[in-house]
């Protein structure tokens, strides 16, 4: 019997925005509506049978309420939903799965990158360059590129600081700017990503002619507020187009690298200071005193210490000749055991002493003293001779550096590195005490509109105001962390899921949604919040953050920035 397509059905499908096919009882396509023709082009023409379909590879929650099967037509991935046959006709709805596939791809990318950043935070810091090279290796693998490099800007060249390149790079090697794509990153002072060099203006560059590198992503590095150089990754083959998740990962990694470089530079400066000090000690042992240095000696035969006038002033002691126990009383109790251990090792083993101790001043302030000494053999018996100096300012500067490395410079909140450390500590404490705790992952909505319409100064004021509100409303034991441009995490020890947590969540939203006033202007933002609780939502810091991030995206409002 000849098949006739119902004209009324065709007319109705012509005005529907979804893509529909009309099939006969044998699965042969008899008609497709205009949206389906636009989507399919020369594929699945009327008269052709509908190809065999496979089960949909995507999770059902990503496909909504539709029960879909999957069709693969070249580069086109379609979801198909068959309607029950009626009167010899069967309708088939087609759905373009490309956006959903892209969304799923970027979600997996974010999870992978979050896992890499979590791994980097746990790397040992003993050898900072090796730690940096491991980070470059992990990051290059995550980006599916062959190599990574951190380089310092030196005028017309870049100096290699660390790398994970298969080529024979050397630490300290100088690379002419014209032979690296990093030149364009430095010139633009922004992230640069090229998935295929041959499709870009860099195809005629000297770098491509010499190296043949086909894909590149790089980010400028700023260390201690100054331009330092670049973080870059590259591959010898074309890369899939870089996504926003790739870009965000490289930006986060650049901040992590900058913190590591700041610590290394601070450690190098401290090490240099100690080397200089050791060179000067030879002169100090002979000269007796230098400006703001005191010298002292200890006779093991008598157990008494002799102090110079400068040493007496630094120790706040009235006499220059007194028992060692009186000097030790000036030290903070917690430091005395370490001092005595080092002191005994000097007398009976090494013959050298290098120790830093804290002193409790009369006004309850704490100062730091560095003591250096050497055992000198004399005819009348050994003598321990050394110097001491006030290093309080250096210690405070070192503590400031550590604070800056673990806190967000704009808001004063803890940063991602310190957040992971506190999360791991809280997990261990909760496991030991069999307690629960929760965290809130907060993403600001409409924040980009504030930046776009009023400028970044206004955006910074909004971030500082919200951070200040969150810190004031929480307990002293809670943690407020800024983990991204407009993302915050609240760590809430001892707070289990329940009414108190739900109430706190509402209070947080209320604080964020209050307008931020700046003179005659006021700015409004809102927020989406994801909640995770230990142990039910994850057993480690990375899992908890992933769960909270996922819940936050489920709660995401339409007015996302």
């Amino acid at each position: 019997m000849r098949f006739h397509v119902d004209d009324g059905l065709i007319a109705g499908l012509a005005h529907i925005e979804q893509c529909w096919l009309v099939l006969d009882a044998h699965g042969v396509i008899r008609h497709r509506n205009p949206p389906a023709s636009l989507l399919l082009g020369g594929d699945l023409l009327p008269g052709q049978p509908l190809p065999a379909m496979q089960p949909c590879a995507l999770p059902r929650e990503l496909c909504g309420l539709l029960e879909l099967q999957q069709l693969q037509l070249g580069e086109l991935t379609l979801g198909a939903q068959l309607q029950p046959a009626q009167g010899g006709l069967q309708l088939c709805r087609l759905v373009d799965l490309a956006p959903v596939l892209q969304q799923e791809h970027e979600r997996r990318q974010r999870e992978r990158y979050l896992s890499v950043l979590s791994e980097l935070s746990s790397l040992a810091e003993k050898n900072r360059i090796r730690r940096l090279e491991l980070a470059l290796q992990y990051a290059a693998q995550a980006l599916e590129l062959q190599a990574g490099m951190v380089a310092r800007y030196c005028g017309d060249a870049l100096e290699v600081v660390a790398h994970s390149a298969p080529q024979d790079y050397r630490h300290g090697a100088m690379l002419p700017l014209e032979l690296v794509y990093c030149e364009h990153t430095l010139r633009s002072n922004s992230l640069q990503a090229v998935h295929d060099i041959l499709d870009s203006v860099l195809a005629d560059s000297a770098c491509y002619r010499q190296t043949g590198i086909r894909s590149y992503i790089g980010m400028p590095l700023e260390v201690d507020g100054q331009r330092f150089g670049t973080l870059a990754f590259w591959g010898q083959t074309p890369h899939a187009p870089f996504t926003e998740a790739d870009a965000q990962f490289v930006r986060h990694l650049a901040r992590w690298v900058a913190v590591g470089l700041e610590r290394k530079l601070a450690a190098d400066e401290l090490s240099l200071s100690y080397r200089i000090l050791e060179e000067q000690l030879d002169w100090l042992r002979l000269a007796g005193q230098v400006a703001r240095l005191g010298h002292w000696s200890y006779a093991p035969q008598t157990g008494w210490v002799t102090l110079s006038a400068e040493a007496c002033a630094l120790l706040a002691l009235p006499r220059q000749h007194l028992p060692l126990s009186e000097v030790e009383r000036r030290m903070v109790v917690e430091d005395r055991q370490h001092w005595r251990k080092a002191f005994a090792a000097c007398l009976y083993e090494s013959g050298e002493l290098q120790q830093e101790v804290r002193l409790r001043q009369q006004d309850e302030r704490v100062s730091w003293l560095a003591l250096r000494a050497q055992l000198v053999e004399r005819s009348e018996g050994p003598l321990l001779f050394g110097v001491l100096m006030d290093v309080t300012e250096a210690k405070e500067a070192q503590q400031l550096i550590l604070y800056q490395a673990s806190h967000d410079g704009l808001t004063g909140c803890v940063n991602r590195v310190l957040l992971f450390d506190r999360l791991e500590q809280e997990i261990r404490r909760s496991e030991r005490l069999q307690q629960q705790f929760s965290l809130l992952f907060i993403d600001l909505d409409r924040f980009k509109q504030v930046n776009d319409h009023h400028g970044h100064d206004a955006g910074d004021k909004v971030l500082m105001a919200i951070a200040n509100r969150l810190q004031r409303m929480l307990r002293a034991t809670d943690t407020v962390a800024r983990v991204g441009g407009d993302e915050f995490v609240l760590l809430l020890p001892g707070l289990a899921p329940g009414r108190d947590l739900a109430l706190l969540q509402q209070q947080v939203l209320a604080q964020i949604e209050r307008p931020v006033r700046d003179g005659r202007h006021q700015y409004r933002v809102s927020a989406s919040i994801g909640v995770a609780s230990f142990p039910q939502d994850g057993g480690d810091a990375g899992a908890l953050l992933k769960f909270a991030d996922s819940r936050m995206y489920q709660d995401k409002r339409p007015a996302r920035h």
Side-chain angles (χ1 to χ4, degrees):
M1 183 175 70
R2 184 173 176 79
F3 182 86
H4 295 281
V5 177
D6 183 85
D7 293 336
L9 177 61
I10 293 175
L13 293 178
H15 301 290
I16 296 177
E17 293 181 357
Q18 292 90 359
C19 301
W20 288 92
L21 303 177
V22 179
L23 312 176
D24 65 13
H26 302 289
V28 175
I29 301 168
R30 293 303 180 183
H31 176 74
R32 58 186 191 178
N33 70 346
S37 298
L38 184 63
L39 174 66
L40 297 172
D43 293 321
L44 300 186
L45 295 170
Q48 295 180 346
L50 188 69
M53 294 179 288
Q54 301 293 329
C56 188
L58 291 171
R60 182 177 178 183
E61 58 268 19
L62 295 179
C63 300
L65 299 176
L66 300 178
E67 291 287 344
L68 296 179
Q69 292 183 290
Q70 191 166 310
L71 279 174
Q72 190 70 41
L73 302 175
E75 296 182 357
L76 191 62
T77 303
L78 301 175
Q81 181 192 27
L82 290 171
Q83 302 293 324
Q86 292 184 2
L89 297 178
Q90 187 174 25
L91 294 179
C92 177
R93 180 182 174 184
L94 299 179
V95 179
D96 185 3
L97 294 181
V100 183
L101 289 169
Q102 180 65 23
Q103 177 186 355
E104 177 68 359
H105 173 68
E106 292 185 6
R107 183 189 67 79
R108 291 176 179 173
Q109 279 186 317
R110 287 195 300 271
E111 289 183 353
R112 183 170 74 250
Y113 291 152
L114 184 61
S115 174
V116 171
L117 291 170
S118 175
E119 289 181 18
L120 297 186
S121 67
S122 64
L123 288 176
E125 285 196 40
K126 179 174 283 189
N127 186 330
R128 287 184 171 87
I129 292 296
R130 178 57 183 160
R131 181 175 186 254
L132 194 53
E133 290 183 338
L134 286 173
L136 291 172
Q137 179 182 333
Y138 294 164
Q141 292 173 355
L143 288 164
E144 298 180 343
L145 293 169
Q146 281 76 52
M149 179 178 68
V150 171
R152 184 198 299 265
Y153 176 64
C154 300
D156 59 352
L158 287 176
E159 178 187 6
V160 177
V161 175
H163 67 85
S164 65
Q167 297 94 333
D168 187 19
Y169 277 77
R170 291 182 297 106
H171 292 140
M174 305 300 292
L175 306 177
L177 275 180
E178 64 267 22
L179 295 182
V180 289
Y181 298 130
C182 299
E183 176 187 15
H184 302 275
T185 302
L186 290 169
R187 189 187 306 144
S188 67
N189 197 32
S190 62
L191 182 139
Q192 297 290 306
V194 184
H195 72 278
D196 191 347
I197 298 298
L198 294 184
D199 292 336
S200 72
V201 296
L202 300 177
D204 296 327
S205 66
C207 178
Y208 175 71
R209 291 195 299 272
Q210 179 160 323
T211 65
I213 292 173
R214 289 287 296 275
S215 50
Y216 167 86
I217 185 168
M219 179 75 185
L221 284 175
E222 189 173 283
V223 176
D224 285 332
Q226 303 293 324
R227 180 169 71 167
F228 179 86
T230 58
L231 166 69
F233 299 90
W234 64 87
Q236 295 297 133
T237 57
H239 192 278
F242 290 104
T243 65
E244 180 59 24
D246 297 324
Q248 286 297 333
F249 172 65
V250 174
R251 290 190 183 99
H252 284 305
L253 185 64
R255 288 193 285 270
W256 183 89
V257 169
V259 170
L261 289 172
E262 288 172 1
R263 292 177 177 174
K264 180 183 183 304
L265 293 176
D268 290 345
E269 290 178 6
L270 190 61
S271 176
L272 178 61
S273 298
Y274 277 126
R275 288 199 301 271
I276 294 173
L277 179 61
E278 291 299 326
E279 291 173 0
Q280 292 176 342
L281 282 178
D282 291 336
W283 296 99
L284 294 174
R285 292 188 184 99
L286 300 173
Q289 69 178 47
V290 175
R292 299 195 66 182
L293 282 177
H295 66 266
W296 60 281
S297 62
Y298 171 76
Q301 301 89 339
T302 64
W304 281 59
V305 175
T306 301
L307 303 171
S308 67
E310 293 79 11
C312 282
L314 290 170
L315 289 165
L317 290 171
R319 294 179 294 148
Q320 292 183 260
H321 190 60
L322 67 172
L324 177 62
S325 58
E326 291 194 31
V327 176
E328 292 177 339
R329 283 197 199 97
R330 295 285 299 112
M331 301 177 185
V332 172
V333 174
E334 294 84 358
D335 290 356
R336 291 178 192 171
Q337 184 176 356
H338 299 293
W339 156 260
R340 288 167 179 163
K341 183 178 180 181
F343 191 81
C346 171
L347 289 179
Y348 304 114
E349 297 176 17
S350 66
E352 294 184 354
L353 175 68
Q354 295 187 19
Q355 191 70 18
E356 292 179 348
V357 297
R358 292 171 293 174
L359 304 180
R360 183 74 66 183
Q361 303 295 341
Q362 292 181 350
D363 58 1
E364 296 302 316
R365 290 186 304 109
V366 173
S367 61
W368 283 86
L369 279 186
L371 297 100
R372 305 287 185 269
Q374 183 170 331
L375 195 63
V376 180
E377 294 294 341
R378 304 179 305 167
S379 57
E380 60 269 34
L383 179 73
L384 189 63
F385 178 80
V387 298
L388 55 84
M389 64 182 297
D390 189 334
V391 292
T392 305
E393 292 183 0
K395 279 291 183 180
E396 290 175 347
Q398 184 181 12
Q399 290 171 356
L400 177 61
I401 291 172
L402 293 175
Y403 176 86
Q404 292 172 338
S406 58
H407 289 74
D408 174 47
L410 176 66
T411 63
C413 299
V414 306
N415 61 16
R416 181 178 290 272
V417 175
L418 184 54
L419 172 65
F420 268 92
D421 181 67
R422 291 189 179 179
L423 263 173
E424 294 296 347
Q425 290 184 34
E426 185 59 28
I427 288 172
R428 290 193 292 270
R429 190 189 73 85
S430 298
E431 288 176 338
R432 186 174 66 254
L433 301 178
Q434 295 185 345
Q435 292 181 348
Q436 301 182 60
F437 71 88
S438 300
L439 61 85
L440 304 183
F441 195 109
I442 303 171
D443 184 273
L444 301 184
D445 297 324
R446 300 199 301 271
F447 177 74
K448 186 175 185 298
Q449 297 175 14
V450 175
N451 271 338
D452 292 345
H453 297 160
H454 302 284
H456 289 281
D457 286 344
D460 289 348
K461 290 176 181 177
V462 169
L463 290 173
M464 289 188 290
I466 289 176
N468 187 43
R469 291 174 187 174
L470 294 175
Q471 288 168 334
R472 283 188 301 174
M473 71 176 289
L474 296 181
R475 303 166 299 179
T477 55
D478 298 333
T479 295
V480 180
R482 184 184 176 204
V483 297
D486 58 355
E487 295 177 337
F488 294 86
V489 171
L490 308 185
L491 174 58
L492 310 168
L495 193 58
R499 182 178 179 182
D500 291 343
L501 182 60
L503 178 60
L504 177 62
Q505 188 174 349
Q506 293 302 316
Q507 292 172 342
V508 167
L509 285 173
Q511 288 292 333
I512 292 174
E513 291 174 357
R514 282 174 47 206
V516 176
R517 302 186 185 278
D518 180 22
R520 293 179 298 173
H521 300 283
Q522 65 177 18
Y523 314 114
R524 291 181 180 273
V525 295
S526 57
S528 299
I529 298 181
V531 181
S533 297
F534 176 86
Q536 54 265 47
D537 297 330
D540 57 57
L544 286 169
L545 281 174
K546 287 179 186 177
F547 185 89
D549 182 51
S550 174
R551 293 293 297 271
M552 182 273 294
Y553 274 101
Q554 293 176 17
D555 181 58
K556 198 69 179 163
R557 300 180 178 183
R560 186 178 181 185
H561 58 285

